[in-house]
Amino acid sequence: MPRAESCGAQYGARVDVRLPYPPGARSGDRPTAVEPCSTCGELTGRGYPACLACAEVVDRPWLADWLELLSAERVSAGSEEERSLAARVLAAPAGTHPWTCTDWALRLRRCVECGGEPGAGDPVCLACAATDAARWEWDHTADPAEMTPDEHALRLAVVVLRAPQRRRVPVVATWRLAVPFLLVGERVTFAQVRGIRAAVLAGRYADLAGLDRVVELANLRLTPWRRHS
Ligand SMILES: [Zn+2]
Ligand SMILES: [Zn+2]
């Protein structure tokens, strides 16, 4: 891969910086169908992270990868060593660990500036902005086999829902609507995301929330307004 050689190539040195890029979110049970959450009543995932039942389901693929890392490193969950491991994961170059482990490690640390979850804290915190920008290096440098567009979309959705105060309201609403489909591995293209956002901007969130097929959500803005018919 060109990426592997880019660093040293201009100096004539062949520095192999190819990192393993272990894929993320390929373990942990996912729901097999888009269904309402028995706790909050919305389609499972939309209550994230406030609804604990939604959070349990959404976080599974992240937690599975983190527990695997803990096991490999012989570190106990909840220990001080776990916090140290989180710091080491965050200090490592992108591609060293699965992206899910980067996200989980962030949750175990505190932002030095605002005290929130790094990358998800105060909307005006510059340290959080830098941390959030850095996490996407994984997505931008990985091969498609290591991260599919669906996995990138799921990661983005969950990052947005964890820090709604850092995003515009229609963006948050759009990803909230999409997350149940992403969880079951359904394809949500960026064209569909744009379609959903257009309907959100048209004030149709309630109508969108009542639909359970992503193609319907994406095309709602194109269907005639009921009040005009
Ligand atoms: Zn729920
Ligand atoms: Zn911060």
Side-chain angles (χ1 to χ4, degrees):
M1 291 292 106
R3 170 185 75 212
E5 290 142 27
S6 58
C7 276
Q10 59 185 311
Y11 302 110
R14 189 181 167 85
V15 181
D16 187 3
V17 293
R18 182 73 169 82
L19 291 158
Y21 283 83
R26 305 231 173 134
S27 310
D29 286 343
R30 302 262 203 115
T32 53
V34 174
E35 287 174 344
C37 167
S38 56
T39 300
C40 70
E42 296 198 68
L43 294 184
T44 298
R46 282 192 184 150
Y48 189 85
C51 169
L52 296 182
C54 282
E56 195 274 324
V57 174
V58 171
D59 284 340
R60 265 184 221 156
W62 275 259
L63 187 57
D65 291 345
W66 183 254
L67 292 178
E68 191 176 312
L69 180 63
L70 286 185
S71 169
E73 299 283 328
R74 299 177 189 280
V75 168
S76 308
S79 64
E80 193 51 40
E81 289 75 34
E82 186 186 33
R83 279 175 42 77
S84 304
L85 175 63
R88 290 204 303 282
V89 165
L90 296 173
T96 306
H97 299 284
W99 52 270
T100 39
C101 287
T102 304
D103 288 350
W104 201 270
L106 286 168
R107 300 186 196 180
L108 299 175
R109 307 294 304 181
R110 283 291 156 257
C111 173
V112 291
E113 293 291 330
C114 72
E117 178 180 313
D122 194 291
V124 296
C125 175
L126 294 179
C128 275
T131 302
D132 189 44
R135 88 164 87 206
W136 302 109
E137 188 186 344
W138 207 110
D139 308 47
H140 295 142
T141 54
D143 285 340
E146 293 150 349
M147 179 178 238
T148 66
D150 303 13
E151 287 165 348
H152 171 70
L154 178 63
R155 186 185 197 194
L156 183 55
V158 169
V159 166
V160 167
L161 294 188
R162 285 190 75 78
Q165 74 282 8
R166 298 182 59 81
R167 302 290 198 297
R168 290 182 302 118
V169 171
V171 171
V172 177
T174 299
W175 287 112
R176 190 175 297 289
L177 288 162
V179 81
F181 306 102
L182 296 169
L183 268 185
V184 300
E186 215 174 293
R187 168 140 294 193
V188 184
T189 67
F190 278 92
Q192 288 175 323
V193 170
R194 276 198 300 277
I196 297 170
R197 193 173 57 220
V200 167
L201 288 167
R204 304 194 67 188
Y205 186 93
D207 293 331
L208 289 159
L211 302 170
D212 56 9
R213 291 182 58 226
V214 71
V215 66
E216 291 176 1
L217 273 88
N219 292 311
L220 182 69
R221 182 73 181 91
L222 305 174
T223 58
W225 290 76
R226 257 174 284 162
R227 66 171 114 138
H228 291 168
S229 58

